[in-house]
Amino acid sequence: MSRFFFTHRFLILRRISQITLLVLLIGANRWGWKIITGNLTFSELFEKIPLTDPFALLQVFAAGASVKQTVAVGALIVALFYVFLGGRSFCSWICPVNLVTDAAGGIRRGLKMDFEDEDGFIRLSRNVRYWMIGISLILSMLLGVAAFEFISPVSMMHRGLIFGIGFGWMAVGMIFLFDLLAVRNGWCGHLCPLGGFYSLIGRNRLIQVRHTADLCSRCDRCIAVCPEKEILSEVGKQSGTISHGECVLCGRCVEVCEENALRFGIRKILKRRKT
Amino acid sequence: MHERDEKPKPVSSRRKFLFQMVRSLGMAGITGTAWGAYVEENKADPLILRPPGAPPEEDFLKQCIKCGKCVEACPYDTLRLAAPGDQKPLGTPYFVPRETPCRMCTDIPCVPVCPTGALDLDRVSKNRGNMEIPDIARARMGVAVLDESSCLAYWGIQCDACYRACPLMDKALTIDYLRNARTGEHALLIPKVHCEQCTGCGVCEHVCITQKASVRIFPRDRVMGKADPRYIKGWDKRDERRLLNIPDRFTIRTERSRRKAQDYLNDEGILYE
Ligand code: SF4
Ligand code: SF4
Ligand code: SF4
Ligand code: SF4
Ligand code: SF4
């Protein structure tokens, strides 16, 4: 049993992180708790520290609105955190849609339907999400409303869990089926512009997965389990850090590696500069 | 042989690249169009009622970041965020007065918590000696419209439920006493909404006793007209002051008005032509 906890330590921590945040926010709405209030687009920690979704604010700006200082400061705080520390960790430690896509991915792996995308009947480039960012901003500009916020299943699900979801379950179900049956890691790994946004700003984060090639036995289990396929391509060939922006820091590769060849680490800034 | 093998290659890879570029742009165009059409179709509900202190709908949609802070702050659970299926602009706050009206809190807790300024205290404040103090009576969430054909008071049955419930009783909603011509000896107690004062809180709609409310709230721009500024209530001293700063374009100049009245009246030629 304790072995299970060890091999799933990051999964358990991630679920705790995701669910605690949800419970706190639901409590804030239902019972007036004051620890963190609002939702993922904007919230306040201890009624003091503002936290804003920087991508949502970017759309608001593109739509041509001026906003109060609070949200702008909140966006700065969140952006700085992900730029310097967290990278794209939002996706696997905070985002509620991750619960759904992980479930779909888990079932895929369990049922051994996790074949290559190329054999699937929908082929999707992993770069579509970056196009989605562009389209979001252009549409926001043209239509005068934050365009992705209008269709975002992330906000829909999160807001829905706190304030009442209506038919939002349909969007959530759609993502589940899409990830389960159509494309492996379809939503988070291909389409979601929010994930794409954090990938872009999180390239130079401090927290990274480190690989020691000498220890690696080339079992490739990490590659099988990583939701972002191409980023572990150097495993077994070269020691170093996984510095791709796309890494969601889920720790699955670390958990699955029995040789201790993959670990979480802090990027050595000075060393990298020399090379 | 070698030349033949090598020559076409760079051309075809460049063509391939260009083709892929065009294809990506095309796909982006298709996605963008469908997505844009969806947003455009769903961004506006012409009859939606917003919290106090909101700007005109178009600006509100730009500014609101859908955080739900206003919803959390409302002690009466009046406000809610539009969920999928509500057929309202997704995630934005609104209220349904027949179910839960706005109770016009004097401290207006829903407004100052708004982080973006989509709800702005300045729009619901009055100036008292250099101090801005919240004044919910300035809110203009909508306006009450009364259906005379189903309102029992108009039938001659006494009902003043809406009048008594109105937080701005005798200002936004008054009772007119009219003679009941049918019986000849009773009065009609007719409720009357005064648009200039009505905040659109919806308490009247909430309490109306008819099966479907006979007094209902609509966004102000859907209901109210606007008089040309050149019309002035001459009997109202305050309104008359507007005369002082009426812009020129509202003064109509005709051939005749160029001259003084005395002059053209004395000039019979013009009068009887
Ligand atoms: S590299 Fe490891 S931590 Fe990063 S996304 Fe892949 S499995 Fe998760
Ligand atoms: S004024 Fe009071 S009742 Fe009305 S919406 Fe705001 S908080 Fe709710
Ligand atoms: S508090 Fe302001 S930004 Fe947040 S949902 Fe309400 S109106 Fe929108
Ligand atoms: S007339 Fe109705 S909507 Fe207007 S202020 Fe009175 S109760 Fe509110
Ligand atoms: S409560 Fe309804 S029926 Fe009664 S007077 Fe008012 S509008 Fe008429």
mmCIF file with all atom_site columns, all heavy atoms in Angstrom, chain B residues 85-98:
data_model
loop_
_atom_site.group_PDB
_atom_site.id
_atom_site.type_symbol
_atom_site.label_atom_id
_atom_site.label_alt_id
_atom_site.label_comp_id
_atom_site.label_asym_id
_atom_site.label_entity_id
_atom_site.label_seq_id
_atom_site.pdbx_PDB_ins_code
_atom_site.Cartn_x
_atom_site.Cartn_y
_atom_site.Cartn_z
_atom_site.occupancy
_atom_site.B_iso_or_equiv
_atom_site.pdbx_formal_charge
_atom_site.auth_seq_id
_atom_site.auth_comp_id
_atom_site.auth_asym_id
_atom_site.auth_atom_id
_atom_site.pdbx_PDB_model_num
ATOM 1   N N   . GLY B 1 85 ? -26.987 26.832 -21.156 1.00 0.00 ? 85 GLY B N   1
ATOM 2   C CA  . GLY B 1 85 ? -28.392 26.447 -21.122 1.00 0.00 ? 85 GLY B CA  1
ATOM 3   C C   . GLY B 1 85 ? -29.284 27.568 -20.637 1.00 0.00 ? 85 GLY B C   1
ATOM 4   O O   . GLY B 1 85 ? -30.496 27.522 -20.822 1.00 0.00 ? 85 GLY B O   1
ATOM 5   N N   . ASP B 1 86 ? -28.709 28.580 -20.000 1.00 0.00 ? 86 ASP B N   1
ATOM 6   C CA  . ASP B 1 86 ? -29.522 29.722 -19.567 1.00 0.00 ? 86 ASP B CA  1
ATOM 7   C C   . ASP B 1 86 ? -29.836 30.660 -20.735 1.00 0.00 ? 86 ASP B C   1
ATOM 8   O O   . ASP B 1 86 ? -30.636 31.584 -20.599 1.00 0.00 ? 86 ASP B O   1
ATOM 9   C CB  . ASP B 1 86 ? -28.781 30.536 -18.486 1.00 0.00 ? 86 ASP B CB  1
ATOM 10  C CG  . ASP B 1 86 ? -28.750 29.817 -17.156 1.00 0.00 ? 86 ASP B CG  1
ATOM 11  O OD1 . ASP B 1 86 ? -29.376 28.759 -17.071 1.00 0.00 ? 86 ASP B OD1 1
ATOM 12  O OD2 . ASP B 1 86 ? -28.106 30.312 -16.224 1.00 0.00 ? 86 ASP B OD2 1
ATOM 13  N N   . GLN B 1 87 ? -29.175 30.432 -21.845 1.00 0.00 ? 87 GLN B N   1
ATOM 14  C CA  . GLN B 1 87 ? -29.332 31.277 -23.028 1.00 0.00 ? 87 GLN B CA  1
ATOM 15  C C   . GLN B 1 87 ? -29.062 32.742 -22.728 1.00 0.00 ? 87 GLN B C   1
ATOM 16  O O   . GLN B 1 87 ? -29.813 33.642 -23.109 1.00 0.00 ? 87 GLN B O   1
ATOM 17  C CB  . GLN B 1 87 ? -30.718 31.093 -23.636 1.00 0.00 ? 87 GLN B CB  1
ATOM 18  C CG  . GLN B 1 87 ? -30.878 29.703 -24.215 1.00 0.00 ? 87 GLN B CG  1
ATOM 19  C CD  . GLN B 1 87 ? -32.276 29.412 -24.666 1.00 0.00 ? 87 GLN B CD  1
ATOM 20  O OE1 . GLN B 1 87 ? -33.226 29.708 -23.950 1.00 0.00 ? 87 GLN B OE1 1
ATOM 21  N NE2 . GLN B 1 87 ? -32.409 28.848 -25.837 1.00 0.00 ? 87 GLN B NE2 1
ATOM 22  N N   . LYS B 1 88 ? -28.014 32.943 -21.964 1.00 0.00 ? 88 LYS B N   1
ATOM 23  C CA  . LYS B 1 88 ? -27.550 34.291 -21.642 1.00 0.00 ? 88 LYS B CA  1
ATOM 24  C C   . LYS B 1 88 ? -26.056 34.299 -21.937 1.00 0.00 ? 88 LYS B C   1
ATOM 25  O O   . LYS B 1 88 ? -25.433 33.242 -21.962 1.00 0.00 ? 88 LYS B O   1
ATOM 26  C CB  . LYS B 1 88 ? -27.762 34.578 -20.151 1.00 0.00 ? 88 LYS B CB  1
ATOM 27  C CG  . LYS B 1 88 ? -29.201 34.475 -19.681 1.00 0.00 ? 88 LYS B CG  1
ATOM 28  C CD  . LYS B 1 88 ? -29.827 35.850 -19.683 1.00 0.00 ? 88 LYS B CD  1
ATOM 29  C CE  . LYS B 1 88 ? -31.223 35.855 -19.124 1.00 0.00 ? 88 LYS B CE  1
ATOM 30  N NZ  . LYS B 1 88 ? -32.219 35.182 -19.958 1.00 0.00 ? 88 LYS B NZ  1
ATOM 31  N N   . PRO B 1 89 ? -25.475 35.498 -22.137 1.00 0.00 ? 89 PRO B N   1
ATOM 32  C CA  . PRO B 1 89 ? -24.028 35.527 -22.352 1.00 0.00 ? 89 PRO B CA  1
ATOM 33  C C   . PRO B 1 89 ? -23.299 34.784 -21.240 1.00 0.00 ? 89 PRO B C   1
ATOM 34  O O   . PRO B 1 89 ? -23.418 35.144 -20.072 1.00 0.00 ? 89 PRO B O   1
ATOM 35  C CB  . PRO B 1 89 ? -23.706 37.024 -22.343 1.00 0.00 ? 89 PRO B CB  1
ATOM 36  C CG  . PRO B 1 89 ? -24.965 37.670 -22.790 1.00 0.00 ? 89 PRO B CG  1
ATOM 37  C CD  . PRO B 1 89 ? -26.082 36.824 -22.256 1.00 0.00 ? 89 PRO B CD  1
ATOM 38  N N   . LEU B 1 90 ? -22.601 33.743 -21.613 1.00 0.00 ? 90 LEU B N   1
ATOM 39  C CA  . LEU B 1 90 ? -22.054 32.771 -20.688 1.00 0.00 ? 90 LEU B CA  1
ATOM 40  C C   . LEU B 1 90 ? -21.218 33.395 -19.576 1.00 0.00 ? 90 LEU B C   1
ATOM 41  O O   . LEU B 1 90 ? -20.322 34.187 -19.839 1.00 0.00 ? 90 LEU B O   1
ATOM 42  C CB  . LEU B 1 90 ? -21.198 31.779 -21.479 1.00 0.00 ? 90 LEU B CB  1
ATOM 43  C CG  . LEU B 1 90 ? -20.870 30.491 -20.768 1.00 0.00 ? 90 LEU B CG  1
ATOM 44  C CD1 . LEU B 1 90 ? -22.132 29.750 -20.415 1.00 0.00 ? 90 LEU B CD1 1
ATOM 45  C CD2 . LEU B 1 90 ? -19.976 29.646 -21.638 1.00 0.00 ? 90 LEU B CD2 1
ATOM 46  N N   . GLY B 1 91 ? -21.528 33.017 -18.344 1.00 0.00 ? 91 GLY B N   1
ATOM 47  C CA  . GLY B 1 91 ? -20.673 33.393 -17.222 1.00 0.00 ? 91 GLY B CA  1
ATOM 48  C C   . GLY B 1 91 ? -20.888 34.785 -16.676 1.00 0.00 ? 91 GLY B C   1
ATOM 49  O O   . GLY B 1 91 ? -20.268 35.163 -15.697 1.00 0.00 ? 91 GLY B O   1
ATOM 50  N N   . THR B 1 92 ? -21.780 35.564 -17.307 1.00 0.00 ? 92 THR B N   1
ATOM 51  C CA  . THR B 1 92 ? -21.965 36.937 -16.828 1.00 0.00 ? 92 THR B CA  1
ATOM 52  C C   . THR B 1 92 ? -23.104 36.991 -15.804 1.00 0.00 ? 92 THR B C   1
ATOM 53  O O   . THR B 1 92 ? -24.036 36.192 -15.859 1.00 0.00 ? 92 THR B O   1
ATOM 54  C CB  . THR B 1 92 ? -22.295 37.886 -17.999 1.00 0.00 ? 92 THR B CB  1
ATOM 55  O OG1 . THR B 1 92 ? -23.431 37.380 -18.698 1.00 0.00 ? 92 THR B OG1 1
ATOM 56  C CG2 . THR B 1 92 ? -21.133 37.988 -18.955 1.00 0.00 ? 92 THR B CG2 1
ATOM 57  N N   . PRO B 1 93 ? -23.016 37.927 -14.846 1.00 0.00 ? 93 PRO B N   1
ATOM 58  C CA  . PRO B 1 93 ? -24.022 37.994 -13.788 1.00 0.00 ? 93 PRO B CA  1
ATOM 59  C C   . PRO B 1 93 ? -25.318 38.658 -14.258 1.00 0.00 ? 93 PRO B C   1
ATOM 60  O O   . PRO B 1 93 ? -25.280 39.602 -15.041 1.00 0.00 ? 93 PRO B O   1
ATOM 61  C CB  . PRO B 1 93 ? -23.338 38.854 -12.724 1.00 0.00 ? 93 PRO B CB  1
ATOM 62  C CG  . PRO B 1 93 ? -22.431 39.743 -13.492 1.00 0.00 ? 93 PRO B CG  1
ATOM 63  C CD  . PRO B 1 93 ? -21.959 38.948 -14.671 1.00 0.00 ? 93 PRO B CD  1
ATOM 64  N N   . TYR B 1 94 ? -26.439 38.139 -13.789 1.00 0.00 ? 94 TYR B N   1
ATOM 65  C CA  . TYR B 1 94 ? -27.738 38.733 -14.116 1.00 0.00 ? 94 TYR B CA  1
ATOM 66  C C   . TYR B 1 94 ? -28.724 38.346 -13.022 1.00 0.00 ? 94 TYR B C   1
ATOM 67  O O   . TYR B 1 94 ? -28.386 37.574 -12.128 1.00 0.00 ? 94 TYR B O   1
ATOM 68  C CB  . TYR B 1 94 ? -28.231 38.264 -15.486 1.00 0.00 ? 94 TYR B CB  1
ATOM 69  C CG  . TYR B 1 94 ? -28.679 36.819 -15.535 1.00 0.00 ? 94 TYR B CG  1
ATOM 70  C CD1 . TYR B 1 94 ? -30.031 36.477 -15.566 1.00 0.00 ? 94 TYR B CD1 1
ATOM 71  C CD2 . TYR B 1 94 ? -27.743 35.789 -15.529 1.00 0.00 ? 94 TYR B CD2 1
ATOM 72  C CE1 . TYR B 1 94 ? -30.441 35.154 -15.601 1.00 0.00 ? 94 TYR B CE1 1
ATOM 73  C CE2 . TYR B 1 94 ? -28.149 34.474 -15.566 1.00 0.00 ? 94 TYR B CE2 1
ATOM 74  C CZ  . TYR B 1 94 ? -29.496 34.157 -15.610 1.00 0.00 ? 94 TYR B CZ  1
ATOM 75  O OH  . TYR B 1 94 ? -29.892 32.838 -15.621 1.00 0.00 ? 94 TYR B OH  1
ATOM 76  N N   . PHE B 1 95 ? -29.920 38.885 -13.083 1.00 0.00 ? 95 PHE B N   1
ATOM 77  C CA  . PHE B 1 95 ? -30.921 38.441 -12.120 1.00 0.00 ? 95 PHE B CA  1
ATOM 78  C C   . PHE B 1 95 ? -32.298 38.349 -12.766 1.00 0.00 ? 95 PHE B C   1
ATOM 79  O O   . PHE B 1 95 ? -32.559 38.936 -13.803 1.00 0.00 ? 95 PHE B O   1
ATOM 80  C CB  . PHE B 1 95 ? -30.947 39.338 -10.871 1.00 0.00 ? 95 PHE B CB  1
ATOM 81  C CG  . PHE B 1 95 ? -31.477 40.737 -11.086 1.00 0.00 ? 95 PHE B CG  1
ATOM 82  C CD1 . PHE B 1 95 ? -32.765 41.077 -10.669 1.00 0.00 ? 95 PHE B CD1 1
ATOM 83  C CD2 . PHE B 1 95 ? -30.699 41.713 -11.682 1.00 0.00 ? 95 PHE B CD2 1
ATOM 84  C CE1 . PHE B 1 95 ? -33.254 42.367 -10.840 1.00 0.00 ? 95 PHE B CE1 1
ATOM 85  C CE2 . PHE B 1 95 ? -31.187 43.010 -11.863 1.00 0.00 ? 95 PHE B CE2 1
ATOM 86  C CZ  . PHE B 1 95 ? -32.470 43.333 -11.442 1.00 0.00 ? 95 PHE B CZ  1
ATOM 87  N N   . VAL B 1 96 ? -33.133 37.514 -12.151 1.00 0.00 ? 96 VAL B N   1
ATOM 88  C CA  . VAL B 1 96 ? -34.488 37.286 -12.647 1.00 0.00 ? 96 VAL B CA  1
ATOM 89  C C   . VAL B 1 96 ? -35.442 37.772 -11.568 1.00 0.00 ? 96 VAL B C   1
ATOM 90  O O   . VAL B 1 96 ? -35.676 37.088 -10.580 1.00 0.00 ? 96 VAL B O   1
ATOM 91  C CB  . VAL B 1 96 ? -34.730 35.787 -12.929 1.00 0.00 ? 96 VAL B CB  1
ATOM 92  C CG1 . VAL B 1 96 ? -36.133 35.559 -13.462 1.00 0.00 ? 96 VAL B CG1 1
ATOM 93  C CG2 . VAL B 1 96 ? -33.682 35.266 -13.899 1.00 0.00 ? 96 VAL B CG2 1
ATOM 94  N N   . PRO B 1 97 ? -36.009 38.976 -11.726 1.00 0.00 ? 97 PRO B N   1
ATOM 95  C CA  . PRO B 1 97 ? -36.745 39.606 -10.626 1.00 0.00 ? 97 PRO B CA  1
ATOM 96  C C   . PRO B 1 97 ? -37.944 38.797 -10.155 1.00 0.00 ? 97 PRO B C   1
ATOM 97  O O   . PRO B 1 97 ? -38.246 38.802 -8.958  1.00 0.00 ? 97 PRO B O   1
ATOM 98  C CB  . PRO B 1 97 ? -37.184 40.949 -11.202 1.00 0.00 ? 97 PRO B CB  1
ATOM 99  C CG  . PRO B 1 97 ? -36.758 40.985 -12.606 1.00 0.00 ? 97 PRO B CG  1
ATOM 100 C CD  . PRO B 1 97 ? -35.867 39.836 -12.893 1.00 0.00 ? 97 PRO B CD  1
ATOM 101 N N   . ARG B 1 98 ? -38.619 38.094 -11.043 1.00 0.00 ? 98 ARG B N   1
ATOM 102 C CA  . ARG B 1 98 ? -39.792 37.344 -10.595 1.00 0.00 ? 98 ARG B CA  1
ATOM 103 C C   . ARG B 1 98 ? -39.379 36.303 -9.560  1.00 0.00 ? 98 ARG B C   1
ATOM 104 O O   . ARG B 1 98 ? -40.122 35.983 -8.654  1.00 0.00 ? 98 ARG B O   1
ATOM 105 C CB  . ARG B 1 98 ? -40.466 36.670 -11.801 1.00 0.00 ? 98 ARG B CB  1
ATOM 106 C CG  . ARG B 1 98 ? -41.799 36.001 -11.497 1.00 0.00 ? 98 ARG B CG  1
ATOM 107 C CD  . ARG B 1 98 ? -42.867 36.975 -11.047 1.00 0.00 ? 98 ARG B CD  1
ATOM 108 N NE  . ARG B 1 98 ? -44.216 36.402 -11.064 1.00 0.00 ? 98 ARG B NE  1
ATOM 109 C CZ  . ARG B 1 98 ? -45.255 36.967 -10.503 1.00 0.00 ? 98 ARG B CZ  1
ATOM 110 N NH1 . ARG B 1 98 ? -45.118 38.121 -9.861  1.00 0.00 ? 98 ARG B NH1 1
ATOM 111 N NH2 . ARG B 1 98 ? -46.449 36.419 -10.573 1.00 0.00 ? 98 ARG B NH2 1
#
